[in-house]
Amino acid sequence: MSGLCVAALGCAGLSGARAQQVQTIPGMPPVVDPQNIYTETTPSHIAPEVAQDPARIYVPNLRSNNVYVIDPQTYKVVNRFPVGKSPQHVVPSWDLRTLWVTNNAEGTTNGSLTPIDPRTTLPGPEVAVDDPYNMYFTPDGKSAITVAEARKRLDFRDPHTMQLQTSVEVPQCKGVNHADFSIDGRYAIFTCEFGGYLAKVDTVNHAVLGYLKLSSGGMPQDILTAPNGHTFYVADMHADGVFIIDGDSFRETGFIPTGVGTHGLYPSRDGTMMYVANRGSHKIHGTPHSKAGGVSVISFATEKVVSQWPIPGGGSPDMGNVSADGKTLWLSGRFDDVVYAFDTTSGAVRKVAVGLEPHGLTVWPQPGRYSIGHTGILR
């Protein structure tokens, strides 16, 4: 019934009936279709206010401590500006009105967040925040979660002022860094890069629910919730593929081999495919022009790889996102100091030179009602 309207209910009635099937946490926008949490992120669902923001690609460069801004129409760098030390990701806020640069100041205690106004594309004053390697937002919009990777800690903060609300220690999660949320918003699963574990966290009561050791690999990176809102996919840079996790029971149920150095995961705009960035190396600091670097495309329906997109001359695709129209997958080239733009129909790729060691770029604007963070996972 997902694509049909029932005459007795009407389309609006059907949407309401579907929403009632998922009891979300208070304040979280309703789930329109329990079979596909990405229904509101198709190209036709861009909010009127967001649509007024200039189309830009924001690229944080880890070693040059700046952000490059690319015009996706011309593939040209149109601006650049300094930010704090070690910028890792550009993260859209829950309300879609601020893009936050997470400067975790590796090896120091001088971490900060740099806000960017997506209407002007310009940065504002930095906000001092301890070790913000990455950032997420609870689906109810009540908290930002700064991921203090080096501290093994999750800091729940006011989503606007970034004042600390509470902290959750995750002592068994060495290298905590990426996360995604269940369909009802009640829990999140975080990856532990340096221990081979996953951590399940109660987003309402701010408590650790448990840890799961992956069966092999041992270097989990990005994590993405499946359209059904219960299955999670975990990229593992040592296993060279994607683990399948049942989030509710918190157990490993399968594995999909993809390529060397499996790293970033992104849904297609129609919610049918998952783009997998294979960084081409098992090392944190790999060499440029890896022949193994490329993108795998996985069908959510079959959980099988349906296409492979190599990079001519080699490369190191890392983090990024999909354009609002779904036609281009933008990824940073971590070890090659470039950004890749993949045509999602053909897999053909273009390159744009940026700063030193680009990392978690975001594409803006994007369709959707709210952001749960990272490089722009919207729902």
Side-chain angles (χ1 to χ4, degrees), residues 40-41 112:
E40 307 310 292
T41 65
S112 66

Side-chain angles (χ1 to χ4, degrees), residues 188-199:
I189 297 178
F190 285 80
T191 61
C192 314
E193 180 174 3
F194 303 122
Y197 279 89
L198 305 176

Side-chain angles (χ1 to χ4, degrees), residues 190-208:
F190 285 80
T191 61
C192 314
E193 180 174 3
F194 303 122
Y197 279 89
L198 305 176
K200 187 174 181 178
V201 176
D202 184 325
T203 57
V204 176
N205 299 305
H206 302 163
V208 176

Side-chain angles (χ1 to χ4, degrees), residues 54-68:
R56 296 291 185 265
I57 313 300
Y58 296 88
V59 187
N61 298 294
L62 181 64
R63 289 193 294 114
S64 49
N65 300 321
N66 58 14
V67 169
Y68 276 39

Side-chain angles (χ1 to χ4, degrees), residues 287-375:
T287 56
H289 314 306
S290 170
K291 301 299 183 184
V295 171
S296 302
V297 184
I298 292 174
S299 165
F300 280 125
T302 65
E303 295 186 328
K304 296 183 183 301
V305 174
V306 295
S307 187
Q308 295 279 12
W309 300 340
I311 299 174
S316 51
D318 192 281
M319 292 287 178
N321 217 320
V322 182
S323 61
D325 61 10
K327 295 180 179 179
T328 308
L329 171 65
W330 291 86
L331 296 172
S332 58
R334 186 70 174 269
F335 310 134
D336 292 86
D337 299 338
V338 298
V339 162
Y340 306 113
F342 290 89
D343 183 307
T344 56
T345 300
S346 67
V349 61
R350 297 181 64 164
K351 301 177 184 179
V352 181
V354 291
L356 303 178
E357 201 172 338
H359 193 189
L361 69 80
T362 200
V363 178
W364 201 256
Q366 289 188 48
R369 298 169 297 171
Y370 62 98
S371 165
I372 57 169
H374 191 34
T375 56

